[in-house]
Amino acid sequence: MSDTDVQPGRLFIGGEWEDAASGNTFETINPATAEPLTTVAEGGAEDVDRAARAARAAFESDAWQKLDARKRGRLLSAIADGLEARADELARLETMDNGKPVREARMIDIRESIDCFRYYAGWADKIAGDVIPVPGPYLNYTRREPVGVCGAIIPWNYPLQMAAWKVAPALACGNTVVLKPAEQTPLTALELARVAAEAGLPAGVLNVVPGFGESAGAAMVEHPEIDKIAFTGSTAVGRMIQRNSASTLKKISLELGGKSPNIVLEDADIDAAVRGASMAIFYNSGQACTAGSRLLVQESIRDEFVEKLLKRAAGFVPGDPLDPKTRLGPLVSAEQLERVMGYIEQGKAAGAELLLGGDRPSVGNGRGYFLNPTIFGSVRPEMSIACEEIFGPVLAVQTFADLEEAIALGNDTEYGLAAAVWTKDVRKAHLAAHRLRAGTVWINTYHNLDTASPFGGYKQSGYGRELGRFALDLYTQVKSVWVNLG
Ligand code: NDP
């Protein structure tokens, strides 16, 4: 597949491909070339309304209500198979739309999306209630019932994977879905709809409405027929969603930003930690909510560590993301590039020492949104590069004297999504893991995620746990049933 093969995108509502009610479309841009890839129908409030009604009708239909859970599981398996059959094509599409290296798109985004549908296919017929021992001549039992129509609003950094994280558990639990992909990366979500329809998912069970956050996204948050919003994105928009959903009392789950500390103690395996630290920040060009964007190194090893890190980081050479050898692609958009460059300027102005990068390479036609790997030293905690989510390949290096100070620095953030510690001392490793206020802590590793393991944030990084059996709590509600046996 090349740029020219990418077909225009339309809305997928009630099992049909449709234009937006307004007739409007928007362009989606290839970040590696800054050239338009294709046009996509721009869903607005009216389209969200149609999608929500289609999802409600599907939720109440016999086709969905009377489909037994085992068959629902088989549908999810068939979606996984459909994605797998098209994995290479989807990886290229994701790369052209998002800019991420195709090797990572194939090995991580697409593979894990397939895995997510397979995993929740297995859960579909195992979502059971309890029998509760209550006093008196009564039988009390619980049922785990679907929430209803779930709205999924997802970001651009892992487009298909974020869709899978929400759609797969929602369907496994018997819900129907309205999905809004990010305006920068709508294409693979539309392909997911195609694959799901081909797999036999009844019409209206999955609806996809590309569009802008302020219009389509906002309309979903306020729509009375949408029972729940599952959101991944910035903390600012997460707060807005929480506020705007109050009038309809939607159930909300939020997976938001991060500024994750990556702590290296002096007794760590230095070479392993250097590899981990560079991958922690440069993977996906730093556009990961769990990016290890704050490197905290013990003073005694700082110089040796930074020297090795600079050597390794220099190997992350930005290149054509469709080349399987490329490890660092462009940022997703001109806007994101500008934002990240703005942080680099702030870092310099605040007196941080620019140790590497900070500038832009020329790749391909010279117009893509590429940025060289960037490392700042002499960073103080109050600098914006140390406390705000940059979402780019920009690392802030700080030092600490001992474990106590490392934990205090690590926790000195409004966020709490992830953290890591590198040490050979088991006691220090677990102490840090227990005391770091984050939803995921890695010990001597970084960026591990698995469909079976819970994921989500502390503090301003959101609430609710996606993945694993924990996601079943997000997509079901518990009913208590009393039977008089007297
Ligand atoms: P947003 O939080 O704006 O985007 C995430 C999703 O929310 C998109 O689908 C977006 O739609 C939608 N959205 C935006 N505004 C609203 C709204 N008012 N109501 C409902 N939905 C809305 O992130 P940005 O794309 O603006 O990125 C800005 C920064 O956010 C990044 O630089 C990064 O720091 C952070 N971010 C963090 C992510 C994470 O996983 N933690 C993921 C993405 C961004 P649309 O794209 O169409 O506007």
Side-chain angles (χ1 to χ4, degrees), residues 154 156 180 183 211 213 217 231 234 240 256 289 336 339 389:
I154 59 168
W156 42 259
K180 193 201 85 63
E183 70 195 59
F231 173 77
S234 61
M240 201 184 314
L256 308 175
C289 44
Q336 188 63 15
R339 198 180 135 89
E389 184 177 49

Side-chain angles (χ1 to χ4, degrees), residues 394-433:
V394 181
L395 180 64
V397 184
Q398 293 169 254
T399 55
F400 60 86
D402 55 22
L403 183 62
E404 278 306 308
E405 192 189 359
I407 292 170
L409 271 174
N411 284 335
D412 184 19
T413 167
E414 64 171 336
Y415 294 115
L417 194 58
V421 59
W422 299 80
T423 174
K424 289 184 190 140
D425 184 325
V426 158
R427 187 190 70 85
K428 288 181 179 167
H430 288 284
L431 195 67

Side-chain angles (χ1 to χ4, degrees), residues 262-277 295-302 304-305 308 400 403 420-426 428-429 442-445:
N262 189 17
I263 298 171
V264 185
L265 299 178
E266 60 191 359
D267 70 346
D269 174 338
I270 303 276
D271 292 333
V274 165
R275 280 195 302 277
L295 177 65
L296 311 181
V297 187
Q298 196 150 11
E299 274 156 14
S300 52
I301 56 161
R302 190 265 180 203
E304 178 194 356
F305 195 89
K308 289 186 166 174
F400 60 86
L403 183 62
V421 59
W422 299 80
T423 174
K424 289 184 190 140
D425 184 325
V426 158
K428 288 181 179 167
W442 291 295
I443 298 174
N444 296 330
T445 183

Side-chain angles (χ1 to χ4, degrees), residues 4-71:
T4 46
D5 300 324
V6 180
Q7 298 301 308
R10 300 172 81 195
L11 316 177
F12 189 69
I13 298 178
E16 303 290 335
W17 293 101
E18 300 197 359
D19 293 324
S22 64
N24 292 346
T25 59
F26 64 98
E27 279 180 337
T28 182
I29 307 286
N30 182 339
T33 60
E35 281 167 6
L37 256 183
T38 190
T39 56
V40 177
E42 183 198 323
E46 205 175 314
D47 305 298
V48 165
D49 182 54
R50 275 190 298 150
R53 286 171 197 281
R56 173 66 58 197
F59 181 71
E60 284 168 4
S61 69
D62 284 354
W64 193 237
Q65 288 294 336
K66 292 194 176 157
L67 188 72
D68 70 57
R70 202 152 293 180
K71 287 191 180 142

Side-chain angles (χ1 to χ4, degrees), residues 257-262 289-291 294 410 415-420 436-442 446 455-458 461:
K259 191 72 187 174
S260 301
N262 189 17
C289 44
T290 49
R294 287 192 296 148
Y415 294 115
L417 194 58
L436 286 163
R437 306 246 312 124
T440 295
V441 178
W442 291 295
Y446 207 97
F455 183 75
Y458 280 30
S461 292

